[in-house]
Amino acid sequence: MEENSAPSAHSGGELFSLPAGPATLCFDKNEFMKKTFSVDEFLHENRNAGSLEIIRDDLGLYLKVLRSAMIELINQDYADFVDLSANLIGLDQQIEAIGAPLEKLRDEVGQVKNALEGSMSEIANCLEQKKLLRAYKKSLQSLRRVQGSLEKLEGMLLSERKHSIDAILLERAALESIQLQFNIKFCRNFLDDRQQQLAQDLWAELLARLRSYLLRALDETEPKELERCLRIYCTLDECATAEEVFRKEIVAPFMSRVISEASLQNSPQGLTGIYNQILDFVSIRMKQLCQLTKRNGKVKGYNFIVHSFWAEVERRMETNMSSIFAPGNPDAFYQKYKCTLEFLERIEQIIDDADDVEQFKAHAQYRSFQLRWNLPVYFQIRFQEIGSGLEASCSETTTKQLTQTISASQFNVAQFSAALTAISKCWQEGIFLPQLFHRFLKLTLQILARLSVWCEEVFRPAPKKDAENVPQEEETVRIRFLVALYSDLGNIELKIPSIVNLVAEKSPSGVERTELESVIGESGNVFREKRAQLQRLIVQQLIAVSLPPLRQVSDIPRLYRKTNRDVPNRCCPYVEQMLTPTDTFRRSYDSMIVGDEMRSFLIGVYSHVTVQYYQVIDEVLTSVQKTEESLRRLKNLRDRSTTVAPTASSSNDRTAPSDDDKIRLQLQADVLHFVRYVEEQGNVKRQDVEKLAELVQLVDDAIKGRVAISGQPQ
């Protein structure tokens, strides 16, 4: 208990740990050591430990423990408390004794600091003055040099030999001018108005001398003087000035004579002749300049082709010869644009450097020149020219659509020939421009799409106002047109690879052939789907004209009941009538629909007709069987009511075929004839046609069932 009540150092950084209390306390004593201890929280957390009276009693008990621990702590350290109070006697006097020297030392340090700051400020002022003096001295030296340079240049340029051109003198004057401009930067504030004006006059005079020197050097046969002059310009950093001099003095006069509407009208070769004259100018007047200033030439920093030649040519063409940009006449526009492209390519060949060519194409006037050619308007005119013929063909009346065919070897319907012709025009010389590749590709796809839409329109049958008058003729014309359309859909699908080849030959380098095959191939897929749709439509047309004779099957029982007709030995006429449309179709169009395609048509028609035929036969046989059973029941009733023995005639009647047997035999003959005809049509087999085998089995079972009932062979 004594050990627990003694204070001790806490490992967690606290000064003391609380003494242990009785184990029956309703709270944790360590909660008093929390920095965030709150009476309210303490009571809230311990409200369930006991009543307030219990908490009060426990707190009072623990207070006694704390007091006992405090008294014990004082008793243990009493000697230390007494020594501490004794040692503190006289401490104030000692502190006051050492305070005065420290204050004196602080004052002395402050005085030294102030002295140093004053010295540093004085030194900084001196250094600033020295800097200003140096700058002033440098400005004076520069002013002296400027004065000397002005005197030298005045002597060289404004002497009596004012109009003479001496290369050595110009080189010296250029070097001196560079020195003059360099020194002027440092003494500009010290120059008076006269000196500044003199410097400007000397600079202008030097450029005037160089201008004359350049014009003279351009006429020299040897490039030595020209190279020297260009180097002087480059030394002065006035390359642009040299280019401007050449443009105004040499290029502009020549181009003003060559580039004009009058020259365009009078030129025997038209625009090509003018371009040839312009290129001849480059070959003759700019040959030395191009050789000296190209990338691997002797002089760097110039681009006379772009800044002198092309800038002037482009400006003159836009202002003096603007008629070449008019797209109203597409043929003339095409020729002029193609001629211009060749002209630009020859300029690029003259430049003969990839970087310089890129700089030429990036020039603002080059882009402006390209924009002057209104390619969208040209394409729109071509679009109307190409699309109008196809649109006119697709807009023909229904009668013309149903009757108009052409004798061309490729297509039977005029619209397909018009579409292929329109596609060919898109890519032929004289119309197609590489810069409009994507537009012409889109137009090609639009032509194919328009043809597909037209096919969808003509798939819908025309209103049959006169169907009662000439139904067969109209159906024949309709089927003939649909077959021709079916054949042409196959032909246009086969033409897709040729169209891809045509487009690929004209495509730019960045377009892959696989992309073209994918894009144009989608149109081929559309035509394939239209062809399958058209096949179903033709089959429906044939079915529609083949089914009406089936109504005659229901009349067969009336042909044999109570008529005493002979046993049938041939098929009824309705079978031939039912087979005639398909047979006529096969014989008429076997040259347009061949092989498996014709077989597919026949199977489609026969399958549907056979299904309907099966239903009709089944209904008739069922009706015959019911009638026969009714008659048998009536006969049995009569036999029971009479006891007369059967006569010989009645016995003979049993052996002879009944009317119902004749009906079954007639149906069997009709079905067998139908089946034989179907199986004779090329590669059509019985199992290929839906319900055909079941139809044969149906009539066979009817005959066998009758034999089984009568017990006599047929």
Side-chain angles (χ1 to χ4, degrees):
M1 184 66 181
E2 182 179 354
E3 182 180 357
N4 292 336
S5 62
S8 61
H10 194 275
S11 61
E14 296 178 357
L15 186 58
F16 297 105
S17 61
L18 292 174
T24 60
L25 295 176
C26 66
F27 54 82
D28 184 9
K29 62 181 180 61
N30 292 323
E31 293 184 6
F32 299 113
M33 298 299 294
K34 294 180 180 179
K35 294 182 179 181
T36 60
F37 173 77
S38 173
V39 176
D40 295 335
E41 293 182 1
F42 176 80
L43 293 176
H44 179 72
E45 293 176 358
N46 295 280
R47 68 184 184 279
N48 297 325
S51 62
L52 293 177
E53 289 78 5
I54 296 174
I55 296 175
R56 182 194 61 191
D57 295 340
D58 289 348
L59 288 173
L61 181 61
Y62 191 63
L63 177 61
K64 293 179 181 180
V65 173
L66 290 175
R67 286 175 177 173
S68 299
M70 183 182 67
I71 294 171
E72 185 178 356
L73 178 62
I74 293 173
N75 291 336
Q76 289 177 357
D77 298 331
Y78 183 76
D80 294 336
F81 287 137
V82 173
D83 292 341
L84 177 61
S85 61
N87 292 333
L88 292 177
I89 298 174
L91 183 61
D92 294 341
Q93 290 78 9
Q94 294 177 7
I95 292 174
E96 292 178 357
I98 64 175
L102 290 175
E103 291 180 356
K104 183 179 180 181
L105 180 60
R106 183 186 63 185
D107 295 338
E108 292 176 354
V109 171
Q111 293 175 1
V112 173
K113 180 181 178 182
N114 293 333
L116 289 175
E117 290 177 352
S119 299
M120 291 176 64
S121 178
E122 185 178 356
I123 292 172
N125 293 332
C126 293
L127 291 175
E128 185 66 26
Q129 291 180 2
K130 186 176 181 180
K131 181 180 178 181
L132 293 175
L133 290 174
R134 285 181 177 176
Y136 186 74
K137 182 179 179 181
K138 186 176 182 180
S139 298
L140 292 177
Q141 291 175 350
S142 298
L143 182 61
R144 182 173 57 83
R145 296 192 186 100
V146 166
Q147 185 63 34
S149 297
L150 289 174
E151 292 176 357
K152 289 182 180 180
L153 286 173
E154 189 175 8
M156 287 185 290
L157 299 176
L158 300 180
S159 61
E160 295 180 356
R161 299 165 57 196
K162 181 176 181 180
H163 300 289
S164 62
I165 301 175
D166 188 350
I168 298 177
L169 181 65
L170 290 177
E171 288 178 346
R172 289 173 52 199
L175 294 175
E176 196 65 38
S177 295
I178 294 174
Q179 293 292 330
L180 175 62
Q181 298 300 325
F182 177 77
N183 290 315
I184 284 177
K185 292 189 298 183
F186 299 101
C187 64
R188 190 176 302 277
N189 296 331
F190 296 91
L191 293 175
D192 55 22
D193 295 341
R194 187 192 67 82
Q195 290 175 325
Q196 293 181 3
Q197 184 62 40
L198 180 59
Q200 295 176 3
D201 294 342
L202 291 173
W203 182 259
E205 179 63 23
L206 176 59
L207 293 179
R209 295 283 186 95
L210 284 174
R211 173 180 171 279
S212 301
Y213 184 33
L214 175 61
L215 296 177
R216 189 188 70 179
L218 288 171
D219 295 331
E220 298 289 339
T221 57
E222 295 295 329
K224 182 177 180 181
E225 292 297 323
L226 181 59
E227 177 185 351
R228 196 169 188 177
C229 181
L230 294 178
R231 290 187 183 278
I232 295 174
Y233 270 112
C234 188
T235 302
L236 295 174
D237 195 20
E238 290 291 336
C239 297
T241 302
E243 293 170 347
E244 187 65 20
V245 169
F246 182 76
R247 173 183 175 178
K248 290 183 177 180
E249 300 297 333
I250 305 299
V251 180
F254 180 84
M255 298 305 166
S256 64
R257 297 191 302 270
V258 173
I259 302 176
S260 65
E261 293 291 346
S263 300
L264 181 62
Q265 298 296 328
N266 297 329
S267 176
Q269 297 178 330
L271 185 61
T272 303
I274 291 179
Y275 284 153
N276 289 335
Q277 294 183 55
I278 295 173
L279 293 172
D280 290 341
F281 172 83
V282 178
S283 302
I284 298 174
R285 297 292 292 167
M286 299 186 65
K287 181 178 180 180
Q288 292 183 356
L289 280 176
C290 294
Q291 291 176 350
L292 290 173
T293 58
K294 61 184 179 180
R295 187 168 294 273
N296 57 351
K298 296 181 179 180
V299 183
K300 309 296 182 183
Y302 294 93
N303 195 337
F304 285 96
I305 292 292
V306 175
H307 300 141
S308 299
F309 167 75
W310 175 248
E312 186 65 24
V313 169
E314 193 275 336
R315 186 181 69 84
R316 295 281 180 177
M317 292 182 69
E318 284 193 4
T319 56
N320 299 346
M321 207 164 60
S322 59
S323 62
I324 65 173
F325 303 108
N329 185 343
D331 294 331
F333 180 87
Y334 176 87
Q335 295 297 332
K336 293 175 181 178
Y337 186 70
K338 290 288 289 186
C339 179
T340 302
L341 291 181
E342 295 175 359
F343 170 65
L344 294 177
E345 289 177 359
R346 292 180 64 182
I347 293 177
E348 293 173 8
Q349 293 174 0
I350 293 173
I351 296 175
D352 193 24
D353 184 85
D355 295 335
D356 290 341
V357 169
E358 291 298 324
Q359 182 183 0
F360 172 61
K361 291 183 177 180
H363 195 267
Q365 286 184 279
Y366 182 89
R367 294 196 298 269
S368 174
F369 182 72
Q370 290 284 16
L371 293 175
R372 288 298 303 271
W373 296 91
N374 204 332
L375 297 181
V377 174
Y378 167 78
F379 174 78
Q380 193 64 31
I381 295 174
R382 291 300 191 188
F383 179 89
Q384 294 175 358
E385 290 180 353
I386 296 172
S388 59
L390 176 62
E391 192 61 33
S393 179
C394 292
S395 301
E396 291 178 350
T397 62
T398 305
T399 303
K400 290 185 177 180
Q401 288 178 0
L402 294 176
T403 59
Q404 181 179 2
T405 58
I406 59 175
S407 60
S409 59
Q410 290 183 336
F411 299 103
N412 302 290
V413 181
Q415 285 75 11
F416 285 85
S417 180
L420 192 63
T421 301
I423 292 174
S424 300
K425 285 183 179 180
C426 291
W427 305 99
Q428 73 180 17
E429 291 295 330
I431 293 179
F432 171 74
L433 289 174
Q435 291 74 14
L436 296 173
F437 170 79
H438 291 86
R439 290 179 181 252
F440 279 106
L441 175 59
K442 182 179 179 181
L443 177 56
T444 300
L445 298 177
Q446 287 176 323
I447 292 172
L448 295 174
R450 181 66 183 93
L451 185 61
S452 175
V453 171
W454 175 81
C455 292
E456 186 70 27
E457 293 173 352
V458 298
F459 283 179
R460 297 190 294 269
K464 298 181 179 180
K465 296 181 180 180
D466 301 328
E468 297 181 357
N469 298 332
V470 286
Q472 188 63 35
E473 180 182 356
E474 184 175 348
E475 290 296 335
T476 303
V477 172
R478 174 70 176 172
I479 292 178
R480 182 167 66 249
F481 174 75
L482 293 180
V483 171
L485 190 60
Y486 178 84
S487 176
D488 286 349
L489 281 171
N491 292 334
I492 194 67
E493 185 180 349
L494 296 176
K495 289 292 182 182
I496 294 298
S498 301
I499 296 174
V500 173
N501 293 334
L502 180 63
V503 177
E505 292 176 358
K506 303 291 186 177
S507 63
S509 58
V511 179
E512 297 291 339
R513 181 183 178 87
T514 55
E515 297 177 355
L516 297 176
E517 292 176 349
S518 175
V519 172
I520 302 177
E522 293 181 2
S523 299
N525 296 334
V526 172
F527 288 126
R528 190 178 301 112
E529 295 174 359
K530 297 296 181 186
R531 199 162 185 250
Q533 180 182 353
L534 183 58
Q535 179 179 349
R536 294 191 294 269
L537 182 60
I538 295 174
V539 169
Q540 292 173 2
Q541 294 281 335
L542 293 174
I543 291 171
V545 297
S546 299
L547 288 179
L550 277 179
R551 292 194 295 266
Q552 301 178 29
V553 177
S554 302
D555 298 333
I556 292 177
R558 290 195 297 272
L559 296 176
Y560 290 96
R561 291 191 189 279
K562 309 298 181 179
T563 58
N564 198 24
R565 284 177 176 266
D566 295 334
V567 176
N569 57 6
R570 58 180 296 176
C571 67
C572 292
Y574 79 89
V575 180
E576 295 293 342
Q577 296 173 7
M578 184 171 57
L579 294 171
T580 296
T582 308
D583 182 63
T584 303
F585 176 81
R586 180 182 58 80
R587 286 185 286 101
S588 301
Y589 306 116
D590 57 351
S591 60
M592 301 173 66
I593 305 176
V594 297
D596 292 339
E597 292 182 352
M598 179 60 76
R599 178 174 174 271
S600 177
F601 273 91
L602 296 178
I603 291 175
V605 177
Y606 290 146
S607 294
H608 190 88
V609 172
T610 302
V611 170
Q612 299 296 321
Y613 197 16
Y614 180 90
Q615 294 177 357
V616 175
I617 294 291
D618 186 45
E619 292 175 359
V620 173
L621 288 174
T622 302
S623 175
V624 169
Q625 184 179 358
K626 290 180 179 179
T627 303
E628 189 177 25
E629 291 176 353
S630 299
L631 293 175
R632 188 182 300 113
R633 285 195 298 270
L634 291 174
K635 183 178 180 182
N636 291 334
L637 291 175
R638 283 198 307 270
D639 291 342
R640 291 194 194 98
S641 63
T642 180
T643 57
V644 180
T647 62
S649 61
S650 63
S651 176
N652 292 334
D653 291 339
R654 280 195 202 94
T655 60
S658 64
D659 294 342
D660 295 327
D661 294 336
K662 294 176 182 179
I663 294 172
R664 293 187 180 93
L665 291 173
Q666 181 63 63
L667 293 176
Q668 185 185 41
D670 295 344
V671 169
L672 293 179
H673 180 79
F674 177 80
V675 173
R676 281 195 303 271
Y677 181 85
V678 170
E679 291 180 335
E680 290 173 358
Q681 304 305 309
N683 296 325
V684 179
K685 299 179 181 179
R686 183 174 298 188
Q687 60 270 22
D688 295 334
V689 180
E690 186 179 357
K691 285 288 186 179
L692 189 60
E694 290 87 340
L695 179 62
V696 177
Q697 188 66 37
L698 178 64
V699 295
D700 289 346
D701 291 344
I703 298 299
K704 292 177 182 178
R706 176 57 185 162
V707 171
I709 293 174
S710 62
Q712 297 181 8
Q714 297 291 332

